[in-house]
């Protein structure tokens, strides 16, 4: 796993937000909800909505297109959806917020 910095310390100190960040060339949805950070895939599995354009509701990220909801801890869609999103580990360090990404075997081979 590689850890990639996605927010500076100053950026982490803002009020709650949902926004897109790039980590190792990958678009990720970064969430600060009730002071807690989450990182999830940026594309909705239902029909490609952009989750970083959504909002949080009761521990879920809500897609702005058809309002499907995904749990910020498990990634599971709410009852009846039958789908899920990828959740990435986050770590708040002295210099900012980091997201943990699995390194693809191709990158491992050539790094
Ligand atoms: S595209 Fe996200 S709920 Fe339909």
């Amino acid at each position: 796993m590689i850890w990639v910095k996605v927010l500076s310390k100053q950026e982490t100190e803002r009020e709650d937000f949902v926004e897109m960040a790039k980590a190792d060339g990958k678009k990720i949805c970064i969430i600060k909800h009730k002071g807690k950070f989450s990182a999830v895939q940026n594309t909705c599995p239902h029909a490609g909505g952009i989750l970083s354009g959504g909002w949080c509701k009761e521990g879920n990220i809500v897609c702005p297109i058809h309002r499907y909801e995904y749990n910020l801890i498990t990634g599971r869609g709410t009852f009846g959806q039958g789908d899920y999103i990828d959740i990435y580990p986050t770590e708040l360090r002295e210099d900012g917020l980091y997201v943990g990404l699995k390194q693809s075997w191709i990158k491992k081979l050539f790094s």
Side-chain angles (χ1 to χ4, degrees), residues 44 46-49 63 65-68:
C44 177
H46 176 234
C63 178
I65 306 299
H66 308 104
R67 302 189 179 199
Y68 276 28

Side-chain angles (χ1 to χ4, degrees), residues 5-74:
K5 184 177 173 181
V6 290
L7 296 175
S8 69
K9 180 171 174 38
Q10 202 172 18
E11 290 171 316
T12 63
E13 292 166 350
R14 292 173 288 154
E15 291 296 312
D16 288 0
F17 56 82
V18 179
E19 66 186 27
M20 192 270 286
K22 274 196 175 176
D24 200 31
K26 190 182 183 84
K27 290 179 183 171
I28 291 181
C29 175
I30 305 292
I31 298 148
K32 185 178 181 185
H33 180 57
K34 295 184 178 173
K36 206 171 163 217
F37 292 98
S38 304
V40 305
Q41 70 182 55
N42 197 43
T43 306
C44 177
H46 176 234
I50 303 301
L51 293 174
S52 56
W55 60 93
C56 286
K57 182 180 140 193
E58 296 164 11
N60 293 336
I61 179 79
V62 182
C63 178
I65 306 299
H66 308 104
R67 302 189 179 199
Y68 276 28
E69 297 181 24
Y70 300 91
N71 185 281
L72 290 174
I73 295 169
T74 65

Side-chain angles (χ1 to χ4, degrees), residues 2-6 23 28 30 39 88-91 97-101:
I2 56 165
W3 288 91
V4 180
K5 184 177 173 181
V6 290
I28 291 181
I30 305 292
Y88 305 103
T90 58
E91 199 170 277
L97 183 74
Y98 286 73
V99 172
L101 300 174

